């Protein structure tokens, strides 16, 4: 079995969905199991419906619902030829419109958007896109069978970032697949969404359709997972920022995870765990450029001792702490872990010693109450709005020259911190945001343009 996941831009309109059908057809002999994202921007619209309803901006809510609905109506009108199918799908879309209106009214009256309500809204994106793709498959004579992910993707009730229970997902899915009567079915389902034991809809985090593909690959023991997106694969740097960046033909699981974690937006970092655990081959492909071979990811390692890519993350904050009095190391660490948990903060990097701790965080402002909690223990320094530049590679520490060349490219840049990942897969520097681009260009030149 082959898992094929198509992202939002790969299903953005009727033409894109037809393109998906033709790609799936080419792989039909490998029994594809197809995972579909919401059409491009749909999840943003649904999220905006929720936040604006809670703020009382009902005119924005109405606009968002209208845009969401009309995008799907256009797909149905342009992508489906049978009038009966069109009518049936339009009825479903009208029902969704009613549901969105009711949900947003509820949120509006309460002026509160809980994670559970947000999930209740967000599941409609993948629901409609997967239904449209399924009907297009049938019209293209692909024996599609639509599966409701809520029926098998059992998750906990950690709404907006729920985790699936793999053993139960496997059991439910096998049971469902077992009872399908169609011959050589091509299953089509939704990424991103699941449901609790009680059947309440959940989502597994933004961009987590990749993760759905990984989970399905794992529980179905797929022989390959293909993530079809709108870029050719992983690049030596973000090609939108560095036009000379080159496609990376192969990565190890660890390298792909590290690149994703450090800012390469090709893949959701969570994706890699279930895939690596089962040693399943992963392929990134571009639905808009299907002749490109893409990037393959597997357990086989690149043996050359150099970097495979450089990434950039903005909006980095560093918090360092020197305790007022010398505390036992494990006690201090425990107190700090408590503060992090209470403020729901996970550091991107952390350096710890008996006399000082330093944390690097990404995204958003560090709250005053968080800093205050640190201030009760020691003296605190906070630097915000910095950038993290990372080079990644299995063997970058095998020869000192990689570190030297990295430092050389940063020679005239103010460094705020440097860190090497604990699993020795990456080396990173924290620099001023205004220096980040120039430094990235220098690093890329040094490693990938010689
Ligand atoms: N539709 C969801 C999102 O935009 C999930 C995904 O596309 O992976 O976050
Ligand atoms: Mg996506």
């Amino acid at each position: 079995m082959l898992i094929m996941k198509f992202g939002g831009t790969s299903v953005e309109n009727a033409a894109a969905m037809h393109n998906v059908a033709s790609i799936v057809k080419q792989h039909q002999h490998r029994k594809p199991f197809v995972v579909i994202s919401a059409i491009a921007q749909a999840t943003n619209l649904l999220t905006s419906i929720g936040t604006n309803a809670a703020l009382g901006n009902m005119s924005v809510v109405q606009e968002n619902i209208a845009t969401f609905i009309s995008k799907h109506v256009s797909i149905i009108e342009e992508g489906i030829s049978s009038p009966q199918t069109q009518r049936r799908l339009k009825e479903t879309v009208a029902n969704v419109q009613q549901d969105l209106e009711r949900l947003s009214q509820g949120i509006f009256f309460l002026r509160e958007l809980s994670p559970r309500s947000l999930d209740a809204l967000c599941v409609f994106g993948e629901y409609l896109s997967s239904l449209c793709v399924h009907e297009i498959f049938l019209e293209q004579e692909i024996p599609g069978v639509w599966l409701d992910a809520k029926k098998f993707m059992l998750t906990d009730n950690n709404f907006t970032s729920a985790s699936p229970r793999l053993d139960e997902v496997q059991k439910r899915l096998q049971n469902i697949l077992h009872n399908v009567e169609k011959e050589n079915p091509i299953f089509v389902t939704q990424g991103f969404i699941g449901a609790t034991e009680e059947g309440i809809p959940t989502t597994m985090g933004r961009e987590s359709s990749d993760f759905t593909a990984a989970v399905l690959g794992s529980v179905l023991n797929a022989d390959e997972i293909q993530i079809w997106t709108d870029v050719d694969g992983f690049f030596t740097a973000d090609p939108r920022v560095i036009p000379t960046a080159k496609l990376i033909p192969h990565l190890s699981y660890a390298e792909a995870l590290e690149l994703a974690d450090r800012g390469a937006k090709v893949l959701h970092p969570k994706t890699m765990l279930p895939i690596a655990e089962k040693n399943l081959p992963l392929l990134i492909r571009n639905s808009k450029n299907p002749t490109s071979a893409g990037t393959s990811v597997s357990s086989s390692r690149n043996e050359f001792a150099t970097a495979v890519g450089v990434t950039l993350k903005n909006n980095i904050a560093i918090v360092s702490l020197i305790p007022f009095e010398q505390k036992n190391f494990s006690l201090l660490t425990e107190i700090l872990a408590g503060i992090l948990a209470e403020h729901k903060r996970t550091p991107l990097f952390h350096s710890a010693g008996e006399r000082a701790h330093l944390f690097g965080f990404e995204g958003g402002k560090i709250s005053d109450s968080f800093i205050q909690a640190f201030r009760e223990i020691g003296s605190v320094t906070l630097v915000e709005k910095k950038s993290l530049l990372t080079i990644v590679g299995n063997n970058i520490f095998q020869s000192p020259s990689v570190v030297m060349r990295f430092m050389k490219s940063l020679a005239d840049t103010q460094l705020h911190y440097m860190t090497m990942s604990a699993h020795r897969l990456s080396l990173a520097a924290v620099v001023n945001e205004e220096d980040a681009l120039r430094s990235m260009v220098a690093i890329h030149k040094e490693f990938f343009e010689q």
Side-chain angles (χ1 to χ4, degrees):
M1 182 172 278
L2 168 67
I3 309 288
M4 300 178 85
K5 178 259 170 177
F6 293 89
T9 48
S10 300
V11 292
E12 63 192 344
N13 53 35
M17 287 191 182
H18 276 273
N19 182 42
V20 165
S22 72
I23 293 172
V24 167
K25 248 187 187 166
Q26 287 158 25
H27 292 84
Q28 209 168 326
H29 58 286
R30 294 179 65 189
K31 300 198 181 136
F33 190 123
V34 180
V35 178
I36 302 290
S37 279
I39 63 171
Q41 295 307 322
T43 312
N44 289 342
L45 284 168
L46 295 168
T47 306
S48 165
I49 292 171
T51 43
N52 280 293
L55 291 169
N57 300 333
M58 289 312 270
S59 60
V60 180
V61 170
Q62 281 311 324
E63 259 167 55
N64 288 161
I65 294 180
T67 312
F68 178 83
I69 294 299
S70 78
K71 276 176 188 260
H72 290 92
V73 170
S74 306
I75 287 177
I76 295 166
E77 287 174 349
E78 289 158 25
I80 307 275
S81 23
S82 140
Q84 289 100 303
T85 312
Q86 276 203 12
R87 210 172 315 119
R88 193 159 35 79
L89 272 179
K90 280 187 184 173
E91 260 168 43
T92 308
V93 171
N95 289 336
V96 168
Q97 178 166 8
Q98 246 187 20
D99 284 343
L100 291 177
E101 268 153 16
R102 286 203 195 112
L103 276 165
S104 53
Q105 281 294 332
I107 295 164
F108 169 71
F109 280 122
L110 293 170
R111 290 291 202 280
E112 187 209 26
L113 178 66
S114 66
R116 177 169 160 168
S117 314
L118 182 58
D119 278 353
L121 285 168
C122 279
V123 292
F124 288 113
E126 271 70 10
Y127 175 64
L128 288 186
S129 63
S130 65
L131 283 175
C132 293
V133 167
H134 171 245
E135 293 296 348
I136 288 175
F137 278 12
L138 296 181
E139 288 201 343
Q140 301 276 329
E141 281 161 10
I142 298 171
V145 171
W146 184 85
L147 298 180
D148 181 357
K150 296 197 290 300
K151 295 264 159 31
F152 59 81
M153 192 59 80
L154 178 81
T155 70
D156 58 19
N157 61 2
N158 190 9
F159 295 99
T160 71
S161 56
S163 298
R165 270 185 41 204
L166 294 205
D167 50 339
E168 194 55 35
V169 174
Q170 184 168 42
K171 233 192 283 164
R172 291 182 179 201
L173 199 53
Q174 275 167 353
N175 199 16
I176 292 172
L177 301 194
H178 190 74
N179 288 313
V180 170
E181 276 165 12
K182 197 174 248 177
E183 237 176 274
N184 301 318
I186 307 292
F187 296 107
V188 183
T189 196
Q190 310 84 53
F192 177 54
I193 72 182
T196 64
E197 191 89 60
E198 297 77 30
I200 299 163
T202 57
T203 70
M204 302 190 285
R206 289 305 304 265
E207 301 300 329
S208 64
S209 291
D210 296 339
F211 179 61
T212 300
V215 167
L216 292 178
S218 166
V219 301
L220 295 169
N221 280 313
D223 40 56
E224 186 173 86
I225 294 165
Q226 298 181 348
I227 305 281
W228 290 81
T229 174
D230 57 1
V231 291
D232 286 354
F234 280 95
F235 279 78
T236 51
D238 185 339
R240 288 165 302 186
V241 181
I242 311 274
T244 48
K246 296 180 198 68
L247 179 68
I248 310 174
H250 178 76
L251 289 170
S252 69
Y253 293 126
E255 286 169 333
L257 174 57
E258 191 74 3
L259 285 170
D261 243 350
R262 291 307 179 98
K265 293 189 191 76
V266 183
L267 206 65
H268 194 295
K270 268 207 299 198
T271 313
M272 218 54 68
L273 283 170
I275 293 181
E277 207 177 76
K278 287 252 176 121
N279 203 358
L280 308 172
L282 168 71
L283 200 56
I284 319 287
R285 298 287 300 271
N286 188 349
S287 68
K288 314 221 154 163
N289 182 22
T291 53
S292 164
T295 299
S296 77
V297 184
S298 73
S299 57
S300 96
R301 290 163 52 114
N302 294 314
E303 285 314 326
F304 43 86
T306 186
V308 292
V310 52
T311 61
L312 166 67
K313 254 186 191 219
N314 289 321
N315 216 353
I316 299 292
I318 297 178
V319 182
S320 51
L321 169 88
I322 300 171
F324 295 131
E325 53 187 86
Q326 184 121 0
K327 274 203 175 61
N328 166 306
F329 179 78
S330 42
L331 178 64
L332 177 60
T333 311
E334 204 181 303
I335 297 172
L336 294 175
I339 300 174
L340 291 174
E342 192 187 321
H343 290 81
K344 297 201 169 66
R345 278 280 186 180
T346 307
L348 199 57
F349 51 86
H350 173 207
S351 117
E354 208 164 354
R355 282 185 296 279
H357 276 252
L358 178 146
F359 296 90
F361 299 101
E362 76 166 309
K365 208 182 135 28
I366 304 289
S367 73
D368 294 341
S369 59
F370 181 76
I371 294 297
Q372 200 43 46
F374 270 56
R375 288 224 161 94
E376 276 160 32
I377 308 166
S379 66
V380 176
T381 356
L382 168 67
V383 283
E384 283 180 294
K385 292 197 87 56
K386 301 294 169 220
S387 295
L388 182 75
L389 286 161
T390 308
I391 54 165
V392 174
N394 278 320
N395 310 316
I396 51 172
F397 295 104
Q398 242 164 43
S399 108
S401 75
V402 175
V403 181
M404 243 170 54
R405 290 165 68 196
F406 186 63
M407 294 310 297
K408 197 177 87 187
S409 346
L410 293 166
D412 51 0
T413 309
Q414 188 191 354
L415 294 181
H416 293 277
Y417 192 66
M418 289 204 61
T419 168
M420 140 183 180
S421 69
H423 31 29
R424 301 168 64 83
L425 276 161
S426 68
L427 178 66
V430 178
V431 304
N432 291 327
E433 265 185 0
E434 56 272 24
D435 294 334
L437 197 60
R438 186 174 50 83
S439 307
M440 177 128 162
V441 169
I443 296 167
H444 195 266
K445 222 179 223 124
E446 174 64 36
F447 284 96
F448 307 106
E449 294 173 44
Q450 304 277 339

